[in-house]
Amino acid sequence: MAVVTATTAGREAAAPPGDCLAANEWICGEYLRTRSQELVDATLQHVGITAASVLLGLVLAVPLALLARRGRRAAGTVLGLTTALYTVPSLAMFSLLLPLFGLSAAVVVAGLTLYSLTVLVRNVLAGLEAVPEEVREAARGMGYGPAGMLLKVELPLALPAVTAGLRITAVSAVSLTTVGAIVGHGGLGNLIYSGMKSVFRAEVLTASVICVLLAVLADLALLGLQRLLTPWTRPARPPRARRVPRRDAAAPPAKEAV
Amino acid sequence: MGVLADTWAWLATASHWTGPDGVWTRLGEHLYLTAVCLVISCALALPAGIVLGHLGRGGALAVNISNAGRAVPTFAVLVLLLMSPLGTHGQWPTVVALVLFAVPPLLTNAWTGMREVDRDAVLAARGAGMSGGQLLRQVELPLAAPMVMTGVRSAAVQVVATATLAALPGGGGLGRIITAGFARYDTPQVVAGAVLVAALALLVEGVLALAQRSADPLRRTRPTPVPSLPDNQTGR
């Protein structure tokens, strides 16, 4: 790698003024220009791993939350297990999954999916349990069966809690993906890792900053999605607030559509 | 499964436990780092969170610091600190990183615990003529103790996890067994190291959960709670 030689201490002192790559500066426009493809590839891998794990986590969290709803004991078991998973440090988690998936992105996706269950199961459960009993009764009276009730009444009403969980999960998944560098699939973490090995400051700092930006973007995007999907949770304007005194009694749009 | 047997064989080999790269040395480093950093973090964050919560100030800081801690990758901070001027000072980059990631859960939980103290209890104490300091020590702090302990528990688990990651940029601790295994393409060693790290993390969490239960002054009057939500934890 040319960069490794260009960033060794010997070259640093002799670096011509204005050449930030040779001077191994933290912020380097030349690095952004010459390595933009590498940065884009790493960012895409990062987003892909994060998105896959959060979506997979959500798909698994709903049935687990339904299982936990069946009683105190089931809830204790499911929540206890998913909380214990969160206790395992990421480096150990990826290492434990290594024999199952080999050196692949699947190790990272599986590990992050397991982490995401901790918050997602809890929030889906909390969202479902917060559905007012009157709403359930009204839905039953309108002829909803258990499946219809879940899909068209309960899950839509649980959306604020679910999206709140998704925001936490996505932000921590973005940050944890970097540790995937240990198996060579860490998105921007790969650049941080190689920058660490070759003491390449611009590479480490740039990848770290993009990573934080990705986390903030994911948070904002999911906040936007939540606002879009759950218009009834937005604080009503003052004159309307008087007409709808209890926001938790407001009906979800999905229900009115039937 | 072959890997399981090989991992067991690795763990059962006495020579892997002794010597400068042995499990006992790495475990000692890990526990030492964890204890030192947890004490420093508590000394920094708990007084700040408790006083701010008592005064009802700094809510935005107390809440947002946890969100920020979650968004910033631990691995990136470890590497950045190592490459900063601090990097030439032995263990200091690791210590600073561990403290940085332990402070958010401590501060947020201490602040939230103080704010969630029953306002009627606070008003009654004021009516009984307690000063601000008495109120803090005799009413608010005991009632906030479970939440403060939740923070200590989150922070401890966080520190154990971050100390593991510190092995990537060459720090000590049990993570070194994992990284050394990767360097040698020795899967049984990687898995054995991971088992040890996971066991340590679960043990720390379990011991502190018991300590937390005994720190709750109202524990006899409450039903057994479901495990607390770790949503104020930062990265692993």
Side-chain angles (χ1 to χ4, degrees):
Chain A
M1 243 163 85
V3 184
V4 181
T5 49
T7 54
T8 49
R11 287 285 296 273
E12 263 174 61
D19 187 350
C20 60
L21 270 181
N24 197 14
E25 281 167 20
W26 288 103
I27 299 166
C28 184
E30 187 64 21
Y31 168 72
L32 286 179
R33 265 192 302 281
T34 54
R35 301 292 204 88
S36 62
Q37 193 52 47
E38 203 176 277
L39 283 167
V40 169
D41 290 346
T43 307
L44 287 179
Q45 189 190 67
H46 206 109
V47 171
I49 289 174
T50 306
S53 59
V54 173
L55 285 177
L56 207 56
L58 185 62
V59 168
L60 291 175
V62 173
L64 282 173
L66 292 177
L67 183 71
R69 201 159 65 143
R70 298 190 136 192
R72 265 197 84 78
R73 193 182 240 180
T77 312
V78 171
L79 294 179
L81 278 178
T82 51
T83 307
L85 284 176
Y86 205 77
T87 309
V88 178
S90 53
L91 192 61
M93 179 70 98
F94 296 151
S95 303
L96 285 172
L97 293 167
L98 183 69
L100 287 176
F101 298 101
L103 280 173
S104 67
V107 167
V108 186
V109 172
L112 295 179
T113 301
L114 289 177
Y115 282 139
S116 74
L117 291 179
T118 313
V119 173
L120 286 179
V121 170
R122 205 173 287 267
N123 277 36
V124 173
L125 185 64
L128 289 177
E129 285 184 343
V131 174
E133 197 47 47
E134 307 95 87
V135 172
R136 280 206 193 90
E137 262 167 44
R140 238 174 260 131
M142 288 173 71
Y144 279 100
M149 170 107 82
L150 179 71
L151 291 175
K152 293 186 175 162
V153 181
E154 291 179 311
L155 281 179
L157 278 176
L159 271 178
V162 176
T163 44
L166 278 177
R167 286 174 64 193
I168 294 176
T169 308
V171 169
S172 47
V174 168
S175 126
L176 285 173
T177 300
T178 53
V179 182
I182 189 77
V183 291
H185 292 85
L188 293 156
N190 292 342
L191 298 184
I192 299 177
Y193 196 73
S194 72
M196 174 185 88
K197 297 257 168 183
S198 56
V199 201
F200 188 179
R201 291 186 181 136
E203 188 176 28
V204 172
L205 185 65
T206 310
S208 306
V209 169
I210 297 177
C211 200
V212 174
L213 289 179
L214 275 185
V216 173
L217 273 180
D219 194 41
L220 289 178
L222 285 167
L223 180 66
L225 184 74
Q226 180 191 348
R227 293 254 164 97
L228 211 68
L229 289 177
T230 62
W232 67 94
T233 59
R234 256 176 272 166
R237 285 183 214 104
R240 295 191 60 187
R242 250 167 266 133
R243 270 195 286 144
V244 190
R246 288 181 55 197
R247 70 169 191 168
D248 58 351
K255 205 181 133 205
E256 283 159 3
V258 179
Chain B
M1 226 172 110
V3 178
L4 281 183
D6 290 347
T7 304
W8 179 250
W10 193 96
L11 287 171
T13 307
S15 63
H16 289 149
W17 289 74
T18 51
D21 294 330
V23 172
W24 292 124
T25 312
R26 295 306 182 196
L27 180 65
E29 287 170 354
H30 210 112
L31 288 175
Y32 179 72
L33 258 183
T34 303
V36 168
C37 293
L38 197 59
V39 168
I40 297 176
S41 322
C42 285
L44 289 174
L46 290 185
I50 286 166
V51 169
L52 286 174
H54 171 70
L55 298 173
R57 288 168 196 272
L61 169 79
V63 174
N64 288 323
I65 196 171
S66 273
N67 294 331
R70 195 158 37 227
V72 177
T74 320
F75 177 42
V77 170
L78 278 164
V79 174
L80 285 170
L81 283 171
L82 183 80
M83 291 169 72
S84 73
L86 199 69
T88 52
H89 295 81
Q91 290 274 51
W92 279 105
T94 310
V95 171
V96 171
L98 263 65
V99 170
L100 276 179
F101 283 96
V103 161
L106 288 169
L107 193 65
T108 305
N109 279 293
W111 190 88
T112 314
M114 292 296 281
R115 292 318 295 161
E116 280 181 356
V117 168
D118 189 352
R119 286 298 108 188
D120 290 342
V122 173
L123 287 177
R126 284 222 185 268
M130 278 193 182
S131 70
Q134 284 174 321
L135 175 70
L136 179 107
R137 277 191 303 277
Q138 296 172 19
V139 179
E140 288 179 313
L141 210 47
L143 288 172
M147 271 300 268
V148 174
M149 271 309 293
T150 302
V152 174
R153 203 170 123 191
S154 299
V157 172
Q158 177 65 46
V159 169
V160 170
T162 313
T164 312
L165 269 187
L168 281 175
L174 285 175
R176 275 297 273 275
I177 297 174
I178 300 178
T179 53
F182 269 108
R184 274 184 236 151
Y185 301 97
D186 184 347
T187 305
Q189 179 173 343
V190 169
V191 179
V195 167
L196 292 169
V197 168
L200 178 67
L202 288 167
L203 192 71
V204 167
E205 160 82 6
V207 167
L208 287 171
L210 285 179
Q212 178 178 21
R213 203 171 292 175
S214 61
D216 186 351
L218 300 175
R219 65 186 179 279
R220 273 163 232 276
T221 63
R222 286 181 197 162
T224 331
V226 284
S228 62
L229 175 61
D231 65 354
N232 42 33
Q233 283 183 0
T234 47
R236 302 284 66 223

